Amino acid sequence: MTLLNRALAGLLLLVATACTTGPSLENQGEVTAPPGDSKELTIGSAGFTESDLLAQMYALLLERAGYSTDIISVTNREIYEPALESGQIDVVPEYAATFADWLNAKADGADAAPVGSPDLAATMKALRALAAPRGLMVLDPGRAVDQNAFAVAASYAKKHGLKTLSDLGRAKVPVRLAAGDECVQRPYCAPGLKKTYGIDIVAVDPKGVGTTQAKQAVQNGQDQMVLTTTTDATLDQFGLVLLADDKKLQNADYVVPVVNRARAGSDGVRDALGRLNTVLTTADLASMNEQVDSWRRLPEDVARTYLESKKLIPKG
């Protein structure tokens, strides 16, 4: 069976069984069995560029360590997380704070108090406590983080002497913020910018998070700042620069591999994927995103070239 056919067959199986496979949390006891080490592993991608790149890098590193891998794209976390619990997917790239809050809401309801925070150590502790009863193991984070970020026009930053969000607060200038509708209420967005930094957000322009329209609105001066992400690779194209989140308003959304413990919890998997932590940075992710999204290179080619350049896999 070809890789494409296996992926399609796997996707159909996931859709058919996502709501019924795996033991319910109430029936799971303490995990005491030794971690598993299946030599045939399925890696899940969430279907967007960065997740595709990470999945490709995971596959190449695991293959280098002697594992056979397939990659399957499942864009809905409500589908791929139960599949990860049941062992239909063995490895996925995730984001620490976001995944911690998602598992927390799954366990305790949508109104549960968030457990993700700007504190990476506290976030990882909460995430691992939530993951373990579900048979999941969260491997160590590296340096790469994909979190919310705010950008302004380079000319605007120069005019007001801005390098950080604190600088913008001290500038005491009115700011129209291009973002999603939810920014009006989300604590990391308009309310947080006002409370933490004293920034005078006079309006939220609902153009979406990091969209072309939002960036163009800041580029042409209609808005003064845009909500985007730290791995946005297109800011230079619009003459925009990020302002540093110097008071750590944003949560610790560091990239973390999450594995099914019974199938991929071994030291072999941990060591293979851990090699990426020694090199991968936020800037590296942004650069690779740009190569795929702007230069139209294939994620697998970009991932291979990167790992070869870092001497994590042999050339060829």
Side-chain angles (χ1 to χ4, degrees), residues 77-281:
R77 188 180 274 118
E78 284 75 10
I79 293 177
Y80 74 68
E81 189 279 331
L84 184 62
E85 288 187 33
S86 69
Q88 293 171 287
I89 293 176
D90 303 303
V91 185
V92 294
E94 265 291 357
Y95 300 91
T98 295
F99 197 48
D101 284 337
W102 193 87
L103 288 179
N104 190 45
K106 183 175 180 179
D108 298 324
D111 295 330
V115 295
S117 75
D119 185 328
L120 177 59
T123 296
M124 287 298 296
K125 182 178 180 180
L127 174 55
R128 283 171 165 154
L130 287 160
R134 298 184 178 278
L136 305 181
M137 181 181 290
V138 183
L139 306 187
D140 292 338
R143 292 180 287 166
V145 57
D146 186 352
Q147 60 192 170
N148 295 308
F150 297 91
V152 298
S155 57
Y156 184 83
K158 183 177 181 180
K159 176 181 178 181
H160 296 287
L162 308 178
K163 292 185 177 179
T164 69
L165 289 170
S166 289
D167 292 338
L168 183 55
R170 285 190 290 268
K172 302 299 181 184
V173 292
V175 174
R176 279 175 54 90
L177 175 60
D181 292 339
E182 70 279 2
C183 180
V184 175
Q185 297 179 323
R186 293 286 175 86
Y188 67 79
C189 205
L193 292 172
K194 293 178 182 179
K195 180 179 179 179
T196 302
Y197 289 106
I199 297 173
D200 183 16
I201 305 294
V202 295
V204 172
D205 188 2
K207 284 185 164 57
V209 178
T211 63
T212 296
Q213 294 79 4
K215 293 171 190 172
Q216 288 174 336
V218 176
Q219 182 183 39
N220 64 30
Q222 177 184 343
D223 298 329
Q224 287 70 53
M225 189 161 65
V226 59
L227 170 62
T228 182
T229 67
T230 52
T231 59
D232 188 332
T234 65
L235 296 177
D236 285 348
Q237 299 174 24
F238 297 90
L240 307 182
V241 294
L242 290 178
L243 297 182
D245 180 20
D246 53 306
K247 293 185 179 179
K248 298 188 182 301
L249 172 63
Q250 303 304 320
N251 283 344
D253 261 331
Y254 285 75
V255 175
V256 289
V258 182
V259 304
N260 178 288
R261 184 180 186 275
R263 289 183 48 81
S266 68
D267 289 343
V269 171
R270 181 191 296 273
D271 292 345
L273 297 182
R275 298 180 70 200
L276 196 58
N277 291 349
T278 64
V279 297
L280 185 65
T281 65

